[in-house]
Amino acid sequence: MVEPGILGAVLAGGRSSRFGSDKAQAILGEATLLDHAVAALTPFCARVVVCGRTHPVHLTLPDRPGRDMGPLGGINAALHEACVRGMTGVLVTGCDMPAFPAELAHALIGPDAAVLRGQHLAAWWPVHLAPLLDAHLAATDRYALRGWMDKVGPRVVCLPDLDLPNVNYREDLDRLNSQSRS
């Protein structure tokens, strides 16, 4: 069920150092991990953007206020895009997370910020946090997601039965590809 006030954001500006190559472009089944992540958010969002890289099909946003800020640069860009569009918030995932179950989306979206326990890139950030994130990024040269979370205090969602795939290493992708062929 598409929510009109929700912007989906796929964070895709990472260096993929543990993976060894550009994991956003790695193939899972017949599509890239990035395309899987976009498709996974689409059922819940009025629009989905890709943050931190260009994409030939989807609207892309450069990290804000600049590159090399880790996930916070993409989250900040998406929050400001949602503000401009008059949306209520941003549902976020990483390009290395090819699934986003409905139970996760429903558990995250609410009046306050929320993150998935153990996988903090799966998150909900209300637009009213955009100025606070701007100020946070301007006041530090350490762009850790944990520091932002300490400042905002998001609700932590625990879904013990959720098996959310996350591709950090080539072995993770190989395992997922093997499972999809079975």
Side-chain angles (χ1 to χ4, degrees), residues 1 4 14 18 21 23 31-32 43 56 65 73 77 99 107 119 131 151 161 176 178:
M1 122 181 124
R18 291 179 287 184
S21 62
K23 66 180 163 182
T32 66
Q119 188 49 263
K151 178 172 271 195
D161 295 330
L176 287 173
S178 292

CSV table of all heavy atoms in Angstrom, one decimal, residues 1 4 14 18 21 23 31-32 43 56 65 73 77 99 107 119 131 151 161 176 178:
chain,number,residue,atom,x,y,z
A,1,MET,N,0.8,-1.2,0.0
A,1,MET,CA,0.0,0.0,0.0
A,1,MET,C,0.9,1.2,0.0
A,1,MET,O,1.7,1.4,0.9
A,1,MET,CB,-0.9,-0.1,1.2
A,1,MET,CG,-0.9,1.0,2.2
A,1,MET,SD,-2.0,0.7,3.5
A,1,MET,CE,-0.9,0.8,4.8
A,4,PRO,N,1.1,8.3,0.5
A,4,PRO,CA,1.4,9.5,-0.3
A,4,PRO,C,2.5,10.4,0.3
A,4,PRO,O,3.2,11.1,-0.4
A,4,PRO,CB,0.1,10.2,-0.4
A,4,PRO,CG,-0.8,9.6,0.6
A,4,PRO,CD,-0.2,8.2,0.9
A,14,GLY,N,28.1,4.3,-0.8
A,14,GLY,CA,29.3,3.7,-0.1
A,14,GLY,C,30.4,3.2,-1.0
A,14,GLY,O,30.2,3.1,-2.2
A,18,ARG,N,34.3,-3.8,2.0
A,18,ARG,CA,34.3,-5.2,2.4
A,18,ARG,C,33.9,-6.1,1.3
A,18,ARG,O,34.3,-7.3,1.2
A,18,ARG,CB,33.3,-5.4,3.6
A,18,ARG,CG,33.7,-4.7,4.8
A,18,ARG,CD,32.7,-4.9,5.9
A,18,ARG,NE,31.6,-4.1,5.6
A,18,ARG,CZ,30.5,-3.9,6.4
A,18,ARG,NH1,30.4,-4.6,7.5
A,18,ARG,NH2,29.5,-3.1,6.1
A,21,SER,N,34.1,-4.8,-4.7
A,21,SER,CA,33.7,-4.1,-5.9
A,21,SER,C,32.4,-3.4,-5.6
A,21,SER,O,31.9,-3.4,-4.5
A,21,SER,CB,33.6,-5.1,-7.1
A,21,SER,OG,32.6,-6.0,-6.8
A,23,LYS,N,29.1,-3.0,-4.9
A,23,LYS,CA,28.0,-3.9,-4.6
A,23,LYS,C,26.7,-3.5,-5.1
A,23,LYS,O,25.8,-4.3,-5.3
A,23,LYS,CB,28.0,-4.4,-3.2
A,23,LYS,CG,27.7,-3.3,-2.2
A,23,LYS,CD,27.7,-3.9,-0.8
A,23,LYS,CE,27.8,-2.9,0.3
A,23,LYS,NZ,27.9,-3.5,1.6
A,31,ALA,N,18.8,-9.0,-11.5
A,31,ALA,CA,18.8,-7.6,-11.3
A,31,ALA,C,19.9,-7.2,-10.3
A,31,ALA,O,20.4,-8.0,-9.6
A,31,ALA,CB,17.4,-7.1,-10.7
A,32,THR,N,20.3,-5.9,-10.4
A,32,THR,CA,21.3,-5.4,-9.4
A,32,THR,C,20.7,-5.3,-8.0
A,32,THR,O,19.5,-5.2,-7.8
A,32,THR,CB,21.8,-4.0,-9.9
A,32,THR,OG1,20.7,-3.1,-9.7
A,32,THR,CG2,22.3,-4.0,-11.3
A,43,PRO,N,6.6,-0.3,-2.9
A,43,PRO,CA,5.2,-0.5,-2.5
A,43,PRO,C,4.7,0.4,-1.3
A,43,PRO,O,3.5,0.5,-1.1
A,43,PRO,CB,5.1,-2.0,-2.0
A,43,PRO,CG,6.3,-2.6,-2.7
A,43,PRO,CD,7.3,-1.6,-2.8
A,56,PRO,N,20.4,5.5,-14.1
A,56,PRO,CA,19.8,5.9,-15.4
A,56,PRO,C,18.3,6.0,-15.4
A,56,PRO,O,17.7,6.7,-16.2
A,56,PRO,CB,20.2,4.8,-16.4
A,56,PRO,CG,20.5,3.6,-15.5
A,56,PRO,CD,21.0,4.2,-14.2
A,65,PRO,N,25.6,17.7,3.0
A,65,PRO,CA,26.0,18.8,2.1
A,65,PRO,C,27.1,18.4,1.1
A,65,PRO,O,27.5,19.2,0.3
A,65,PRO,CB,26.4,19.9,3.1
A,65,PRO,CG,26.9,19.1,4.3
A,65,PRO,CD,26.0,17.9,4.3
A,73,GLY,N,25.0,11.6,4.8
A,73,GLY,CA,24.9,12.5,3.7
A,73,GLY,C,23.7,12.2,2.8
A,73,GLY,O,22.9,13.0,2.3
A,77,ALA,N,20.2,14.4,2.4
A,77,ALA,CA,19.6,14.7,1.0
A,77,ALA,C,18.2,14.3,0.9
A,77,ALA,O,17.3,15.1,0.4
A,77,ALA,CB,20.5,14.1,0.0
A,99,ALA,N,15.7,-6.6,0.3
A,99,ALA,CA,14.3,-6.9,0.7
A,99,ALA,C,13.9,-5.9,1.7
A,99,ALA,O,14.7,-5.4,2.5
A,99,ALA,CB,14.1,-8.3,1.2
A,107,ALA,N,6.2,-1.3,11.0
A,107,ALA,CA,6.8,-1.1,12.3
A,107,ALA,C,7.6,0.1,12.5
A,107,ALA,O,7.7,0.8,13.5
A,107,ALA,CB,7.6,-2.3,12.7
A,119,GLN,N,20.2,-3.4,12.4
A,119,GLN,CA,20.4,-3.0,11.0
A,119,GLN,C,19.8,-1.5,10.9
A,119,GLN,O,18.7,-1.3,10.4
A,119,GLN,CB,19.6,-3.9,10.1
A,119,GLN,CG,19.8,-3.7,8.6
A,119,GLN,CD,21.3,-3.6,8.3
A,119,GLN,OE1,21.8,-2.5,8.2
A,119,GLN,NE2,21.9,-4.7,8.1
A,131,PRO,N,16.5,20.1,9.7
A,131,PRO,CA,17.4,21.1,10.2
A,131,PRO,C,18.3,20.6,11.3
A,131,PRO,O,19.4,21.1,11.4
A,131,PRO,CB,16.4,22.2,10.7
A,131,PRO,CG,15.0,21.8,10.2
A,131,PRO,CD,15.1,20.4,9.9
A,151,LYS,N,22.0,11.5,19.3
A,151,LYS,CA,21.4,12.8,19.4
A,151,LYS,C,19.9,12.8,19.3
A,151,LYS,O,19.2,13.5,20.0
A,151,LYS,CB,22.0,13.7,18.3
A,151,LYS,CG,21.4,15.1,18.3
A,151,LYS,CD,22.2,16.0,17.3
A,151,LYS,CE,23.3,16.6,18.2
A,151,LYS,NZ,23.9,17.7,17.7
A,161,ASP,N,11.6,-12.4,14.4
A,161,ASP,CA,11.4,-13.4,13.4
A,161,ASP,C,11.8,-12.9,12.0
A,161,ASP,O,11.7,-13.6,11.0
A,161,ASP,CB,9.9,-13.9,13.3
A,161,ASP,CG,9.6,-14.6,14.6
A,161,ASP,OD1,10.5,-15.2,15.2
A,161,ASP,OD2,8.4,-14.5,15.0
A,176,LEU,N,22.8,-15.8,-1.2
A,176,LEU,CA,21.5,-15.4,-1.7
A,176,LEU,C,21.2,-15.9,-3.1
A,176,LEU,O,20.1,-16.3,-3.4
A,176,LEU,CB,21.3,-13.9,-1.6
A,176,LEU,CG,21.2,-13.3,-0.3
A,176,LEU,CD1,21.2,-11.7,-0.3
A,176,LEU,CD2,20.0,-13.7,0.4
A,178,SER,N,22.4,-18.6,-4.4
A,178,SER,CA,22.2,-20.0,-4.3
A,178,SER,C,20.8,-20.3,-3.8
A,178,SER,O,20.1,-21.2,-4.3
A,178,SER,CB,23.2,-20.7,-3.4
A,178,SER,OG,24.5,-20.6,-3.9
